[in-house]
Amino acid sequence: MEKRVTFRGWGLPLLLVFPQILISGVFFFYPAAQAIWQSLFIPDPFGLSAQFVGLGNFEFLFSDRFYRSSFITTAVFSTLVTLVSMVPALFLAVLADRLIKGAGTYRTMLIWPYAVAPAVAGVLWLFMFNTRVGVVSWYLAQLAYDWNHVLNDGEAMGLVVVASAWGRISYNFLFFFAALQSVPKSVIEAAAIDGARFWKRFFTIVLPLLSPTTFFLLVVNIVYSFFETFGVIHTITAGGPQQATTILVYKVFSDGFVGQDLGSSAAQSVVLLVVVGALTVIQFKYVEKRVHY
Amino acid sequence: MADLSLEDVKKRFGNTEVIHGVSTDIKDGEFIVIVGPSGCGKSTLLRMVAGLESVSDGEIRIGGVRVNEKEPMDRDIAMVFQNYALYPHMSVRQNMAYGLKIAKKPQAEIDKRVADAARLLQLEEYLDRKPKQLSGGQRQRVAMGRAIVREPSVFLFDEPLSNLDAKLRVQMRLEIKELQSRLGITSLYVTHDQVEAMTMADRMIVMNGGVAEQIGTPLEVYETPQTLFAAQFIGSPAMNILNAELKGGKAKLENGASLTCKSKLEIEAKIGLRPEHLTLNPKGKIELMPLLAEPLGANTLIHGKLKNSSIPLTASVPGVYELEEKSDAIGFSIDPNNLHFFDAESGHRIS
């Protein structure tokens, strides 16, 4: 039975939700409203006055080829981050689920990377792949491969994807592992008796039963790759080379705080808000239909 | 279709032996029920036959072929699980067809077999539903259907009725038994319910503490229980067990009463009296101090103690029997043929 708590009057319930409302108000609604407001103006270079331009900022944005290519970069980046963070996580969870001894140790160790802040993770990966002193790039050089993510688009993208996805693997692993543990053992046994071998069972029985978890992680990881990867990109590539890793959220930052074009930056945040909102709606509307709860 | 034989089958988890060597030969088409209290190893034994647990020692043969090392799928068995273990994301049709699809049977054959099984189990109108849209009894039938379509050599049932309500359980019990005898497939059925065991089994294996206490037809076990455990586990209410001293054709009970018996032995023994074999007789030697009467309609159970002792005793008398307010001892007698004798130490039957 669901427990329902009823309050007499409005005082106490309002008091209880007040901290959350305050936080959402200060850190979400107020800045969002500010962004929408600012997106309609172009401030002067000294920030002393602003000129109302209506949707001018947006018009300018969509005619900017750098902005359009940032969309594609973001799509590529978030698809890769989601895949690279979910597929290995699922694989590791399946392996850990099969363990009889030491599952707890593996689980604990697999969770550690999640405790590393994105910016720190970015720096760690940057050191390993540093073109001059990086360990990995040195080994690659021994193999006659000239690693240079400072100049090479593909390598830069690969590096930020891996650095962003790395910590997320832990997070996704936890969820997949818990979901795997809750698949009834007898269902797996029934499938084994029905003649399905391990991978057949995995794809026909286990994976469909994991679909609620997979769907949840899909949404969460896409949102993550859109926003929270800022730190990684900022530390590793700063959006380069030649904007090859400038995803939408990074462009908001670099145009606004580096380029000092606050009007355009605000307009970009509004676009980003709409894009993520739309993505989430689409996911819940279409993908969820194929999920078996 | 095949016979199934177990030869000194043992199971160890680490150093703990949980099944201490069970041997039996099950003929083709026989319905065998393994019955015992929880933790007696009956499910483990079944899972070893299924291939879901390894065999620590001994040999399991299906159709004369050793299967110890074979994967479940290669043993030509089908299993019905206690919680049905249906695939929740598949329709009833897909659930039943799953095994056949994996075996890469032609689609026409799959359709035919599923349709046949659905007709047999009256599931035709539910074929496109998901398991969660079915009632407990229907899910049970789907689990049966999934086993049937594979046309296995051996059916394994792991307490398949324990999640159903009492009325449905009686109905499904009959259906399973009827279906099994119609299909003639060798079956191994695990239950803790002695009524299920009595009504369904061709032969039953009474298990306790990892040991097969007795293997025999239900009536054999009821009429000539080989051990104290089998005597008390089979039959409801349970058999009364009293200490007695056998001497000169008499059995002297602890409270001094002596019963006529046919045994010529002169030893200390335990005697067993089934509550339903006690007949009301004011002059009877067995005197019961009643504490409680349970009217069941057709008969009444009288629970109490043997007079002048603290030994519990239960009698079953036909019809309605009302205890008087300040009731005195009720006299019972028993046909000497219905007395069971067991060795006081080993608990084995003395004939």
Side-chain angles (χ1 to χ4, degrees):
Chain A
M1 268 302 277
E2 192 186 356
K3 248 192 181 169
R4 274 178 190 279
V5 181
T6 39
F7 290 102
R8 261 169 289 159
W10 284 92
L12 184 59
L14 278 180
L15 187 70
L16 290 175
V17 293
F18 179 71
Q20 184 60 47
I21 289 179
L22 186 73
I23 289 170
S24 308
V26 171
F27 293 103
F28 181 73
F29 289 110
Y30 173 70
Q34 273 281 327
I36 293 172
W37 181 247
Q38 282 186 7
S39 71
L40 306 175
F41 292 86
I42 295 181
D44 72 73
F46 303 103
L48 298 173
S49 64
Q51 187 192 353
F52 181 78
V53 292
L55 296 176
N57 280 325
F58 293 93
E59 245 172 73
F60 182 76
L61 264 187
F62 287 104
S63 60
D64 176 6
R65 81 186 160 85
F66 286 115
Y67 189 64
R68 288 197 305 254
S69 75
S70 175
F71 262 95
I72 300 189
T73 309
T74 308
V76 170
F77 176 76
S78 58
T79 309
L80 287 176
V81 168
T82 307
L83 280 178
V84 174
S85 63
M86 284 177 72
V87 175
L90 180 57
F91 184 69
L92 289 170
V94 169
L95 295 187
D97 188 48
R98 290 190 82 184
L99 284 177
I100 297 163
K101 279 181 189 155
T105 316
Y106 277 94
R107 202 175 51 212
T108 310
M109 296 200 328
L110 280 165
I111 293 165
W112 279 349
Y114 186 53
V116 179
V120 177
V123 172
L124 290 176
W125 284 88
L126 183 60
F127 274 128
M128 286 195 288
F129 283 89
N130 185 292
T131 46
R132 287 192 208 96
V133 297
V135 172
V136 180
S137 40
W138 185 79
Y139 277 113
L140 285 172
Q142 301 300 301
L143 297 169
Y145 185 86
D146 184 19
W147 174 272
N148 195 339
H149 65 263
V150 182
L151 294 176
N152 185 311
D153 297 7
E155 287 172 4
M157 177 59 94
L159 188 56
V160 288
V161 164
V162 170
S164 308
W166 174 67
R168 291 304 280 192
I169 292 178
S170 300
Y171 178 85
N172 296 339
F173 165 82
L174 261 191
F175 279 87
F176 276 130
F177 186 74
L180 281 171
Q181 300 257 300
S182 69
V183 172
K185 209 166 160 248
S186 59
V187 171
I188 305 294
E189 290 173 345
I193 290 176
D194 264 344
R197 285 175 203 283
F198 185 79
W199 288 110
K200 180 85 183 171
R201 286 204 296 275
F202 178 75
F203 286 111
T204 55
I205 308 286
V206 178
L207 205 53
L209 292 182
L210 291 186
S211 55
T213 307
T214 313
F215 173 68
F216 164 75
L217 289 177
L218 197 66
V219 175
V220 169
N221 282 304
I222 287 177
V223 171
Y224 163 83
S225 66
F226 262 72
F227 292 106
E228 288 167 56
T229 48
F230 173 81
V232 171
I233 291 180
H234 192 50
T235 48
I236 297 184
T237 63
Q242 289 194 332
Q243 309 221 4
T245 55
T246 302
I247 60 169
L248 290 170
V249 72
Y250 196 78
K251 199 164 164 57
V252 169
F253 165 80
S254 63
D255 284 2
F257 295 93
V258 180
Q260 292 292 315
D261 187 354
L262 288 177
S264 170
S265 174
Q268 288 177 34
S269 351
V270 173
V271 172
L272 200 52
L273 193 75
V274 171
V275 167
V276 172
L279 266 182
T280 311
V281 169
I282 290 169
Q283 280 172 333
F284 274 98
K285 225 174 162 165
Y286 296 100
V287 185
E288 201 184 30
K289 278 189 188 156
R290 304 185 48 191
V291 171
H292 313 282
Y293 282 108
Chain B
M1 270 166 248
D3 50 349
L4 168 67
S5 42
L6 309 180
E7 199 177 292
D8 201 23
V9 172
K10 290 182 184 170
K11 178 68 186 175
R12 280 184 295 272
F13 290 111
N15 290 325
T16 327
E17 193 170 89
V18 292
I19 292 177
H20 309 288
V22 173
S23 302
T24 186
D25 284 307
I26 298 166
K27 291 192 289 286
D28 186 15
E30 219 177 354
F31 195 107
I32 301 289
V33 175
I34 307 177
V35 63
S38 23
C40 72
K42 56 190 190 300
S43 282
T44 308
L45 187 62
L46 187 81
R47 292 168 59 83
M48 282 158 83
V49 176
L52 299 172
E53 298 278 357
S54 62
V55 181
S56 307
D57 228 327
E59 190 169 271
I60 297 174
R61 286 185 298 269
I62 296 176
V65 181
R66 177 185 162 99
V67 296
N68 285 28
E69 289 79 20
K70 285 194 178 181
E71 290 289 317
M73 65 188 85
D74 301 321
R75 295 188 180 200
D76 200 14
I77 49 151
M79 183 155 165
V80 178
F81 290 82
Q82 180 172 3
N83 60 4
Y84 321 131
L86 300 177
Y87 311 129
H89 58 293
M90 296 185 191
S91 66
V92 169
R93 187 193 307 279
Q94 289 167 323
N95 259 284
M96 295 209 273
Y98 184 73
L100 300 177
K101 278 223 173 90
I102 287 174
K104 300 217 166 65
K105 299 268 187 247
Q107 190 60 43
E109 189 187 340
I110 296 178
D111 290 343
K112 186 180 174 303
R113 284 211 214 169
V114 170
D116 286 348
R119 191 167 340 104
L120 198 64
L121 295 161
Q122 296 150 30
L123 281 171
E124 284 159 305
E125 48 189 309
Y126 306 111
L127 277 175
D128 293 313
R129 292 211 195 160
K130 293 272 173 68
K132 69 175 169 203
Q133 297 165 303
L134 301 176
S135 70
Q138 289 161 345
R139 285 181 207 184
Q140 173 58 53
R141 285 209 187 85
V142 177
M144 293 279 299
R146 194 171 62 181
I148 290 171
V149 291
R150 302 190 46 226
E151 299 176 359
S153 304
V154 179
F155 271 147
L156 305 172
F157 298 90
D158 189 5
E159 308 211 18
L161 303 183
S162 55
N163 285 357
L164 301 179
D165 63 60
K167 196 176 164 206
L168 201 54
R169 205 179 304 168
V170 173
Q171 185 196 334
M172 287 305 293
R173 195 164 82 198
L174 293 172
E175 280 183 28
I176 292 180
K177 178 69 188 152
E178 197 221 16
L179 200 64
Q180 190 271 340
S181 57
R182 180 139 43 119
L183 298 171
I185 294 175
T186 316
S187 300
L188 203 53
Y189 184 108
V190 161
T191 180
H192 60 265
D193 180 346
Q194 54 103 4
V195 180
E196 260 172 46
M198 290 294 284
T199 51
M200 298 176 85
D202 291 332
R203 278 192 305 150
M204 60 200 223
I205 302 175
V206 183
M207 276 193 77
N208 182 35
V211 173
E213 297 258 345
Q214 185 169 4
I215 301 174
T217 66
L219 283 183
E220 268 168 27
V221 178
Y222 179 80
E223 283 168 357
T224 54
Q226 293 303 311
T227 65
L228 268 176
F229 177 83
Q232 288 195 284
F233 196 76
I234 299 302
S236 175
M239 186 188 270
N240 297 297
I241 303 292
L242 306 171
N243 288 318
E245 198 180 325
L246 303 187
K247 204 171 190 183
K250 295 273 181 193
K252 198 171 161 208
L253 301 184
E254 276 171 280
N255 68 346
S258 76
L259 309 176
T260 320
C261 69
K262 289 179 158 177
S263 177
K264 300 275 182 297
L265 293 167
E266 308 221 334
I267 51 164
E268 293 274 330
K270 289 190 184 288
I271 64 168
L273 313 94
R274 291 211 180 270
E276 57 272 32
H277 289 153
L278 292 170
T279 42
L280 279 170
N281 179 352
K283 289 181 198 141
K285 297 277 172 53
I286 306 164
E287 289 175 296
L288 170 72
M289 295 300 293
L291 292 173
L292 177 74
E294 286 184 312
L296 301 177
N299 56 343
T300 304
L301 302 181
I302 306 170
H303 299 282
K305 303 228 187 288
L306 188 66
K307 194 182 176 186
N308 296 332
S309 80
S310 58
I311 301 157
L313 194 67
T314 300
S316 170
V317 298
V320 179
Y321 187 95
E322 276 177 37
L323 293 181
E324 288 153 39
E325 193 90 348
K326 226 186 108 217
S327 52
D328 215 359
I330 309 169
F332 289 95
S333 61
I334 190 165
D335 182 340
N337 289 321
N338 286 330
L339 286 176
H340 304 271
F341 300 96
F342 302 95
D343 188 283
E345 265 158 38
S346 70
H348 287 299
R349 184 182 187 82
I350 305 166
S351 46

